[in-house]
């Protein structure tokens, strides 16, 4: 069970990381039409703001991995 949990967590994180959309309004503009960019401009601005706050996929992965390993250790000790 613990091997399956670990594999699923790592696999899910890799899918998330490789599926992230462009990170700047300029990159979004390169991949969209003007109409699409205008329609989703608020989303682009919100994403850019969140990125500036220091959201880190590496930090997110490490946090989740620590939770999993701590839970597995408690289960093993019990």
């Amino acid at each position: 069970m613990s091997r399956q949990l670990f594999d699923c967590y790592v696999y899910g994180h890799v899918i998330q990381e490789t599926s992230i959309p462009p990170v700047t309004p300029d990159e979004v503009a390169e991949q969209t039409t003007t109409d699409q960019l205008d329609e989703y401009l608020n989303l682009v601005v919100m994403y850019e703001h969140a990125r500036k706050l220091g959201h880190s996929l590496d930090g997110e992965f490490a946090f989740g991995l620590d939770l999993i390993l701590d839970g597995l250790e408690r289960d093993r000790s019990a």
Side-chain angles (χ1 to χ4, degrees), residues 14-55:
V14 168
I15 289 173
Q16 177 186 353
E17 190 167 341
T18 58
S19 300
I20 291 180
V23 295
T24 67
D26 290 338
E27 290 173 352
V28 171
E30 290 174 8
Q31 298 181 17
T32 59
T33 66
T34 303
D35 291 339
Q36 290 172 321
L37 187 57
D38 289 343
E39 184 177 349
Y40 297 107
L41 185 59
N42 289 338
L43 183 59
V44 171
V45 171
M46 183 180 74
Y47 185 81
E48 181 67 17
H49 177 71
R51 193 174 68 83
K52 287 180 182 176
L53 292 177
H55 177 76

